[in-house]
Amino acid sequence: MILYGNEHKDRVEALATVLHEESRAVASLARSSDGIVPVESADAILTVWGHSGDATKFSEMLDVEFGVLIQAWKKKNPSLKSVELITCDAQHNTVPLAGYAKRVAKFVEEKYKDITIKALPVGQNPDDRSILWANAGTRTFCYITSPSQETFNHANQRLQALGPTYHNDLSEVGNAMAKERELSTPNNFTVNFGGFNNLRASLNVIKS
């Protein structure tokens, strides 16, 4: 099952087609006094794609709200083994337990120790900037991290400049950017890229 936050419908529907899974909007789920109500799903993986608004929100859900949903999802669907956060900056933070993904993992572990939480990787530093670009038409993605605003701006400009050259195939764009990468500013960014079928392979396990 793949859930999505605001503005991610097209990307998630493309991902769902590639992975042969069902997709639903987080906003379409019922609410009760106990929080967001889970739906039945036989999938061992729950994927959620959305914005990280700040250190406390993801896909319009506060960290505790998302943690409660995962626990409720597991209770209703015992086959659940893994939860994936598809977003940028779910981990970046220098303060212990301040990263959204880590806090959610810690919360869920209090009740279920057999659920693995995953998110896109941290860059070269705990407080790096990151952005996830994804194109529903080509079903490709490119995830960029950078240690400074200057590098971040440059990497984003390069991605947008290269896009038309490669017909918005972000896998090809990412490959081209990887060849430009250097150890000094403004090319000291990192890139992860590929087709939507490879997106899950780019995720890292979050250790609470």
Side-chain angles (χ1 to χ4, degrees):
M1 172 70 74
I2 309 173
L3 303 178
Y4 57 90
N6 294 343
E7 302 176 32
H8 287 79
K9 183 175 186 290
D10 291 346
R11 298 179 184 93
V12 166
E13 288 183 346
L15 179 64
T17 298
V18 169
L19 299 179
H20 307 290
E21 294 185 12
E22 182 184 354
S23 65
R24 294 191 60 167
V26 172
S28 73
L29 302 180
R31 264 66 172 174
S32 73
S33 58
D34 295 322
I36 301 172
V37 180
V39 297
E40 290 187 6
S41 173
D43 295 337
I45 302 174
L46 172 63
T47 303
V48 185
W49 192 333
H51 285 302
S52 280
D54 53 34
T56 61
K57 265 194 171 181
F58 162 61
S59 291
E60 296 74 53
M61 292 182 286
L62 294 171
D63 48 4
V64 173
E65 186 178 17
F66 187 34
V68 169
L69 172 60
I70 294 172
Q71 291 181 344
W73 200 281
K74 175 70 171 179
K75 183 177 181 180
K76 192 176 189 69
N77 304 291
S79 61
L80 178 66
K81 295 297 181 185
S82 180
V83 178
E84 301 173 334
L85 285 69
I86 309 296
T87 189
C88 48
D89 285 336
Q91 296 197 69
H92 289 119
N93 208 302
T94 56
V95 181
L97 287 180
Y100 185 97
K102 187 176 284 282
R103 288 201 310 278
V104 169
K106 188 72 173 179
F107 183 91
V108 172
E109 187 185 50
E110 292 178 1
K111 191 168 185 178
Y112 295 107
K113 297 186 182 300
D114 61 339
I115 299 178
T116 300
I117 309 296
K118 297 182 178 182
L120 286 163
V122 175
Q124 301 161 89
N125 306 288
D127 60 346
D128 275 8
R129 297 158 179 80
S130 65
I131 186 169
L132 172 62
W133 289 85
N135 188 287
T138 59
R139 299 178 182 178
T140 56
F141 74 94
C142 183
Y143 172 65
I144 300 169
T145 74
S146 64
S148 68
Q149 190 65 50
E150 181 182 355
T151 295
F152 184 78
N153 293 342
H154 173 73
N156 279 297
Q157 289 167 4
R158 287 300 296 144
L159 182 143
Q160 293 175 77
L162 290 166
T165 301
Y166 294 100
H167 307 288
N168 294 319
D169 184 326
L170 298 181
S171 178
E172 294 291 338
V173 171
N175 185 54
M177 290 181 65
K179 294 176 181 177
E180 297 179 1
R181 186 176 181 275
E182 298 175 351
L183 297 178
S184 58
T185 305
N187 287 320
N188 56 336
F189 50 79
T190 70
V191 287
N192 292 70
F193 51 88
F196 278 3
N197 58 315
N198 301 124
L199 182 54
R200 281 179 166 165
S202 294
L203 305 178
N204 287 352
V205 174
I206 308 301
K207 296 180 179 180
S208 61

